Amino acid sequence: MSTFLGMPSLPVFGSGNLHAAESFPKAAHRELGNAQLRANLGHATHTIRDKRLQVVSELPDWEQLRDAGSAIKENVMARLPELLEQFEANFTARGGVIHWARDADEANAIVAGLIRDTGETEVVKVKSMATQEIGLNEYLEEQGIAAFETDLAELIVQLDHDKPSHILVPAIHKNRTQIRDIFLREMPDADPELTDSPAVLAMAARAHLRRKFLTAKVAVSGANFALADSGTLAVVESEGNGRMCLTLPETLITVMGVEKLLPGWRDLEVFMQLLPRSSTGERMNPYTSLWTGVTEGDGPRNVHLVLLDNGRSAALADEMGRSALHCIRCSACMNVCPVYERTGGHAYGSTYPGPIGAILSPLLTGIEAEENSSLPYASSLCGACYDACPVKINIPDILVHLRSKDVDSKRGTKKLPSQMDVGMKAASWALSSGKRLGLVEKGLPLGRLAAGPDKKISKLPGIAAGWTQSRDIPAPPPESFRSWWAREHGNPNDGVVPPQETATQGKEGQA
Amino acid sequence: MSAREDILGRIRSALSDAPAAPPVPREYRTTSELDEEALILLLVDRLVDYKAQVSVVPAAEVPARVAELLAEARSYVVPAGLDAGWLAAVDDGTSTGRAAGAGTERRRVDAAGAPLGVAELDGIDAVVTASAVAVAETGTIILDGSPNQGRRAISLVPDHHICIVAATDIAGILPEALRRIDGIRPLTMISGPSATSDIELERVEGVHGPRRLDVIISR
Amino acid sequence: MRIALFATCIVDAMYPRTAQATVSILERLGHEVVFPAGQACCGQMHVNSGYLKEAVPVVANHVAAFDSADYDVAVAPSGSCVASVKHQHPMVARSCGDTALEARATAVGAKTYELSELLVDVLGVTDAAAQLGSYFPHRVTYHPSCHGMRLLRLGDRQARLLRSVAGIDLAELPEADQCCGFGGTFSMKNADVSSAMLADKTANIRSTGAALCTGGDASCLMHIGGGLSREGSAATTLHLAEILASTLEAPASVTGDVRVTTGKASR
């Protein structure tokens, strides 16, 4: 157990592609207007939901695996400094080289420097959230280095000069026809007769990337897991592009967030059951590669790992929010989220969309960064994400926690309180006393006048206009329940026990 | 201050509330208690589901099955440590009716001292390897780079992988399998031919890795 | 049994018949219902909107109203309010450092039940027609609200009760487990997304051909009902307490002025 002796320092937040540039409601409004996007997302998320449910229900011990996964990650967070040092020692002893990066800029510079040292100007890439987060491709391009994405969905997004919208399936917002059109437009070697069958499109990607794989000298990857007790890294994938990148080049540079550690080999048996079933809804993904430093005669001779902070230590400092770092990037939460299903990933701005993004992005950047304060509100708190999460991250509770951080960060800073502030204060006054609520209710029959003969209210001003844009409000009843009860049962204090009994009850309650 | 010291310092500071490291409840299954017959049936079911081709044969019939599966391959590669007996029935001459390239042998052996180049591997149609362990429940075969499986590149680049699994190497569930292997070897876990779900989240088989996976279960 | 009714603010102010129906059901089963007069609201709107500080007096009021009353168990005709009482109240107390309030809130939460939970688990109701005289000859569909389903794990308790009502024609709601899009202030802060979720919910309800959609949460029903009304649909919403309280002699009407007679009044 590591002990910290100094004063806790202020958290240092992350940078890079972690921000919403416009508020979520605004971005969502635009995305909701795209009928094609809605249809594509609806189809894809429903397909994967059903598959996930089926493979999860096959396992009699799914809940026990979730419990183990959650506890292992909690353990990792509590022992992170010690495990990082242990990992570093093992990885280094087996011929790997570790680099530490405080933030996105530092990580980008390290990777570019390592590539430059090889003399190469082209690299192949395995899909990686960490390199998306730090904006590595854009940075390398500025440095005159071309990075080729090799995962099919990443390739689609890169060819279309678009941004990923999902952490597992970055091109989930595109349907097969749109993908065919992108290939025809952007792939010089594409067959003009290309159909929109997914199998045919996958073959086109194979042909397009084959030469790159066979000639690449440098590859850049992320990592799904890192085992502290051996220095082993793991990449979980489907297409074989990962194996190509991890096996054939001479130099392999992996970028990984510090939270990806697992204590040891035995923990992998838990996560390799949780991850594939939660992400693609398969019993097991087609390929998983594990490597421990450099192996003579097998795979890259130069093996580097960039350990990335970029706000993770800040997220860790938030006691209520730190479990967001347990995330294994499976994407189950976004696949079941009714909000994500309708807006898609771009509305969240950050590399991390969906429910996990709505908590992770503001935790990494701080709640006050750009428009990230709007992200924790992008949820009806329906709880579907928490149920689907393989490591039991209580996303709804963290969303609520971050909302209160947002409200508190704005207290006293504004010249005028918002309508919401005023409304919440007034409601707090009215709803913290039965008497006061009773008085307010006496005024409600006035609402019947507002409602008119059809007994509904169809237009309200201010923030309440959000409600009446698609919903009527029924006319209030002529009398509240409270008032009816007092009339029918006579005693307005019914239920309140005589003083001597109150005292006993009070004591019990406090025991 | 170095980035390393800085980051470790930030993390220690973030943990200044000294959160507890809870004990890990491992109440999930760690054994499956299936007999060999049940293990074979389950593994076959799962592999077929991934669109791998599977045959279950007595050990003595492995050579014939290998030869049959290689019938259409103009060339194939094997790791130096592969059981030579498995290739006994393969005709390495030209009698298959297919013309092997002039001066090239049909069988190529990848050895530690003389590895084949990537371009060479790309020109080879098939690969035959053994395997370290298999997981019935998930349809997974694990290669650990032992001499009868070879380095990772040889089972990746050729488009057709013929993999021999000994029935005694089939574990029921993943924890059983992982406990049988050494985690620091270069490992590849294979569950069916390469596949993608990247277009509309529908799985299609055959992308960059071998598009054809033949599994021979030997008992 | 002496049962304390937590009416919840929305039912108290907007849907008094839901609370009257709850009283009626419990009295029919031979229990005594009390109404702790100090009660107002569970405070989840404040908590869920990030106004934790403003939630403290609301929570404190609820705890004071319910830990001073003399009763065996408390019941509310709302899954989300019960979930708030059970899960959020101790957290709110903790957040303001009031350990005494936290302990009292935990004790109140432990005695508080959602209506179907109380009926099935505590009062042993398995057949509403036989035990309550429930009669409701209409085609009905049912929306299981998120908090009842995922926070309270009510499972099929509400559906089982509904199925046992005489005369009911219960139509399965497609995608029933999907949120209706209410989410408290979410419906205003993210009105566009909320409306899109609601539109799918109401379309699914209309597809069943049911005359009304029932459920265990008045707030979700107000949201869904508001959407149906705006769309000009003939379908409405009605809380399941009112369906359970409906009898052959005193039927709840499904359109217009729905009246339910309480057990006491009918005596």
Side-chain angles (χ1 to χ4, degrees):
Chain A
M1 178 63 97
S2 58
T3 33
F4 175 72
L5 299 172
M7 285 288 288
S9 50
L10 282 175
V12 184
F13 293 115
S15 54
N17 298 327
L18 288 171
H19 301 82
E22 60 184 332
S23 76
F24 184 83
K26 248 189 185 168
H29 178 79
R30 187 188 52 244
E31 302 293 317
L32 280 165
N34 184 340
Q36 182 71 66
L37 175 78
R38 288 272 294 280
N40 294 353
L41 284 169
H43 171 68
T45 54
H46 282 78
T47 304
I48 193 71
R49 274 179 211 173
D50 296 346
K51 285 171 73 179
R52 189 193 78 88
L53 275 179
Q54 198 194 322
V55 295
V56 162
S57 66
E58 267 180 21
L59 289 191
D61 55 347
W62 183 249
E63 289 307 319
Q64 286 79 5
L65 286 166
R66 288 178 82 206
D67 287 337
S70 172
I72 291 167
K73 280 292 186 180
E74 207 177 327
N75 235 279
V76 168
M77 298 312 147
R79 298 167 52 208
L80 195 52
E82 168 203 339
L83 292 174
L84 280 167
E85 284 172 333
Q86 188 190 9
F87 178 85
E88 179 187 39
N90 285 318
F91 189 77
T92 308
R94 299 197 173 268
V97 183
I98 298 259
H99 310 262
W100 299 74
R102 296 174 181 90
D103 54 26
D105 290 347
E106 194 164 30
N108 284 332
I110 292 167
V111 175
L114 290 169
I115 297 169
R116 230 177 274 119
D117 290 348
T118 66
E120 294 294 315
T121 55
E122 284 188 4
V123 297
V124 284
K125 277 191 71 200
V126 198
K127 184 175 143 33
S128 136
M129 296 311 297
T131 60
Q132 195 70 48
E133 171 189 328
I134 62 177
L136 180 66
N137 291 4
E138 296 76 13
Y139 179 82
L140 291 180
E141 195 180 339
E142 286 166 25
Q143 303 295 308
I145 299 166
F148 295 96
E149 292 292 352
T150 63
D151 168 78
L152 177 53
E154 290 283 3
L155 173 71
I156 294 163
V157 167
Q158 192 177 41
L159 286 174
D160 198 32
H161 315 286
D162 193 4
K163 277 169 64 179
S165 70
H166 188 276
I167 64 180
L168 173 75
V169 194
I172 195 170
H173 55 294
K174 301 282 185 198
N175 67 20
R176 60 187 72 191
T177 312
Q178 293 169 307
I179 293 166
R180 194 256 332 259
D181 294 346
I182 293 166
F183 278 14
L184 286 176
R185 193 179 69 230
E186 303 285 341
M187 252 184 205
D189 45 358
D191 175 0
E193 304 296 306
L194 200 64
T195 70
D196 66 2
S197 132
V200 169
L201 294 169
M203 277 320 97
R206 177 185 168 102
H208 177 71
L209 287 171
R210 191 83 183 163
R211 189 62 29 208
K212 287 271 176 265
F213 284 133
L214 302 178
T215 56
K217 296 275 183 274
V218 182
V220 175
S221 84
N224 292 92
F225 306 108
L227 308 181
D229 71 354
S230 59
T232 303
L233 290 172
V235 163
V236 176
E237 52 128 357
S238 294
E239 297 168 13
N241 63 313
R243 293 177 71 190
M244 291 279 180
C245 293
L246 302 171
T247 312
L248 302 182
E250 289 165 7
T251 300
L252 172 61
I253 304 164
T254 302
V255 182
M256 183 186 85
V258 290
E259 83 285 13
K260 292 277 176 180
L261 282 184
L262 295 179
W265 179 247
R266 225 186 142 186
D267 302 310
L268 201 66
E269 70 192 22
V270 175
F271 287 91
M272 283 309 298
Q273 293 190 75
L274 290 173
L275 179 56
R277 290 181 200 255
S278 299
S279 58
T280 50
E282 292 166 310
R283 297 187 181 101
M284 189 62 84
N285 53 294
Y287 300 131
T288 298
S289 297
L290 294 112
W291 71 100
T292 307
V294 177
T295 302
E296 190 56 41
D298 191 345
R301 279 170 296 174
N302 311 304
V303 173
H304 297 270
L305 176 68
V306 180
L307 282 170
L308 181 69
D309 179 358
N310 204 36
R312 285 159 178 77
S313 55
L316 191 65
D318 186 321
E319 288 175 41
M320 284 282 293
R322 65 167 56 124
S323 62
L325 295 175
H326 299 184
C327 175
I328 56 173
R329 312 286 188 260
C330 71
S331 75
C333 64
M334 56 202 74
N335 294 335
V336 298
C337 177
V339 176
Y340 178 90
E341 177 192 340
R342 290 171 178 85
T343 66
H346 291 158
Y348 296 78
S350 163
T351 296
Y352 302 105
I356 186 66
I359 59 172
L360 194 56
S361 305
L363 281 164
L364 294 173
T365 64
I367 192 75
E368 289 167 79
E370 294 193 39
E371 297 290 343
N372 277 8
S373 65
S374 70
L375 294 177
Y377 298 95
S379 166
S380 64
L381 305 178
C382 81
C385 50
Y386 183 24
D387 271 10
C389 178
V391 291
K392 291 187 155 181
I393 301 170
N394 190 335
I395 296 176
D397 269 8
I398 300 177
L399 286 165
V400 167
H401 162 67
L402 291 171
R403 290 176 186 185
S404 82
K405 265 194 142 173
D406 170 51
V407 168
D408 289 343
S409 77
K410 287 170 180 156
R411 284 185 199 275
T413 60
K414 287 172 294 187
K415 283 196 188 103
L416 284 171
S418 70
Q419 275 188 54
M420 189 65 89
D421 294 342
V422 173
M424 286 293 166
K425 277 217 160 56
S428 174
W429 177 83
L431 297 174
S432 55
S433 146
K435 276 214 177 72
R436 288 197 289 264
L437 179 57
L439 281 173
V440 172
E441 285 165 354
K442 294 243 187 289
L444 277 174
L446 286 175
R448 289 173 79 79
L449 285 175
D454 55 354
K455 293 185 184 165
K456 62 188 185 195
I457 297 167
S458 304
K459 200 167 169 47
L460 286 174
I463 45 172
W467 175 279
T468 50
Q469 81 176 40
S470 62
R471 292 149 284 222
D472 293 334
I473 297 179
E479 183 181 38
S480 70
F481 174 76
R482 182 186 308 271
S483 152
W484 174 86
W485 178 273
R487 206 159 41 70
E488 287 283 315
H489 294 74
N491 180 8
N493 287 324
D494 193 2
V496 177
V497 284
Q500 65 275 18
E501 281 180 56
T502 311
T504 330
Q505 279 262 321
K507 261 182 216 147
E508 275 171 7
Q510 282 167 45
Chain B
M1 202 189 280
S2 73
R4 179 183 186 279
E5 295 315 307
D6 219 4
I7 293 169
L8 287 171
R10 289 176 187 177
I11 294 172
R12 290 199 175 95
S13 171
L15 296 170
S16 58
D17 61 315
V24 175
R26 293 190 192 266
E27 281 147 27
Y28 54 85
R29 295 167 304 151
T30 51
T31 53
S32 60
E33 286 154 22
L34 294 176
D35 63 20
E36 191 175 288
E37 202 53 37
L39 288 171
I40 291 173
L41 279 173
L42 188 58
L43 178 61
V44 170
D45 175 76
R46 300 297 144 97
L47 284 166
V48 167
D49 190 42
Y50 294 142
K51 310 256 163 54
Q53 300 187 61
V54 196
S55 34
V56 183
V57 299
E61 289 172 25
V62 170
R65 185 73 189 129
V66 171
E68 207 179 316
L69 291 170
L70 281 173
E72 286 177 26
R74 285 162 303 181
S75 55
Y76 67 95
V77 58
V78 296
L82 192 78
D83 184 339
W86 286 344
L87 303 173
V90 183
D91 182 354
D92 285 337
T94 52
S95 58
T96 54
R98 292 181 165 273
T104 26
E105 304 154 31
R106 190 171 178 232
R107 179 192 304 175
R108 313 295 302 278
V109 178
D110 189 77
L116 301 176
V118 175
E120 268 177 291
L121 280 175
D122 189 39
I124 294 173
D125 288 344
V127 54
V128 184
T129 72
S131 58
V133 62
V135 189
E137 185 176 75
T138 60
T140 304
I141 297 164
I142 305 179
L143 307 187
D144 70 357
S146 293
N148 61 359
Q149 297 149 52
R151 62 194 174 102
R152 290 173 287 169
I154 67 163
S155 53
L156 170 65
V157 181
D159 204 17
H160 179 194
H161 183 188
I162 298 163
C163 187
I164 296 141
V165 175
T168 49
D169 286 336
I170 305 174
I173 56 176
L174 189 71
E176 288 175 302
L178 291 187
R179 288 166 189 204
R180 288 192 204 174
I181 55 176
D182 177 359
I184 61 167
R185 302 187 65 91
L187 298 173
T188 307
M189 298 167 64
I190 297 173
S191 306
S194 74
T196 182
S197 302
D198 278 355
I199 300 172
E200 298 180 13
L201 276 161
E202 274 176 27
R203 182 180 159 115
V204 294
E205 283 76 18
V207 202
H208 304 294
R211 285 180 283 186
R212 185 172 162 198
L213 174 67
D214 275 302
V215 179
I216 303 173
I217 298 172
S218 152
R219 62 169 170 191
Chain C
M1 200 178 263
R2 197 165 150 91
I3 301 170
L5 174 65
F6 170 33
T8 77
C9 64
I10 183 169
V11 165
D12 178 18
M14 297 294 288
Y15 298 97
R17 283 181 212 124
T18 298
Q20 289 162 357
T22 305
V23 172
S24 166
I25 295 164
L26 298 174
E27 288 182 348
R28 265 181 236 169
L29 289 167
H31 301 286
E32 183 194 356
V33 179
V34 295
F35 181 75
Q39 67 176 279
C41 169
C42 67
Q44 67 170 311
M45 176 182 74
H46 287 99
V47 178
N48 290 346
S49 304
Y51 290 80
L52 221 57
K53 212 180 93 186
E54 287 77 3
V56 175
V58 183
V59 168
N61 177 71
H62 181 84
V63 172
F66 280 83
D67 79 349
S68 63
D70 176 27
Y71 61 90
D72 299 307
V73 291
V75 67
S78 160
S80 70
C81 303
V82 171
S84 172
V85 167
K86 283 179 174 297
H87 305 303
Q88 290 186 332
H89 285 195
M91 182 272 287
V92 169
R94 208 158 42 241
S95 78
C96 67
D98 191 338
T99 51
L101 181 62
E102 184 183 345
R104 289 166 60 214
T106 305
V108 169
K111 286 170 81 176
T112 307
Y113 292 81
E114 183 276 337
L115 178 60
S116 71
E117 203 180 17
L118 180 74
L119 291 176
V120 173
D121 297 0
V122 182
L123 306 182
V125 177
T126 52
D127 185 337
Q131 291 166 275
L132 300 170
S134 309
Y135 171 73
F136 196 74
H138 301 282
R139 186 167 172 83
V140 173
T141 192
Y142 158 70
H143 169 66
S145 290
C146 301
H147 289 180
M149 188 167 45
R150 302 200 182 90
L151 290 175
L152 296 179
R153 303 281 169 203
L154 294 180
D156 64 350
R157 286 178 183 80
Q158 295 179 341
R160 258 157 51 206
L161 288 173
L162 283 169
R163 263 183 243 121
S164 70
V165 170
I168 200 167
D169 173 14
L170 194 63
E172 191 161 334
L173 179 65
E175 310 230 292
D177 66 342
Q178 293 296 298
C179 178
C180 73
F182 174 53
T185 50
F186 171 77
S187 60
M188 291 182 263
K189 280 202 166 223
N190 277 286
D192 292 324
V193 187
S194 168
S195 298
M197 289 161 69
L198 176 60
D200 291 343
K201 182 58 72 183
T202 53
N204 280 323
I205 291 169
R206 282 187 274 112
S207 78
T208 65
L212 58 85
C213 174
T214 188
D217 269 85
S219 51
C220 308
L221 294 177
M222 178 171 86
H223 183 242
I224 295 168
L228 289 167
S229 163
R230 177 59 58 87
E231 291 165 4
S233 164
T236 56
T237 53
L238 189 66
H239 195 283
L240 76 90
E242 296 179 53
I243 292 181
L244 294 176
S246 172
T247 62
L248 187 61
E249 298 75 30
S253 121
V254 299
T255 50
D257 209 16
V258 184
R259 282 249 171 248
V260 171
T261 328
T262 69
K264 207 166 223 177
S266 65
R267 247 179 262 156

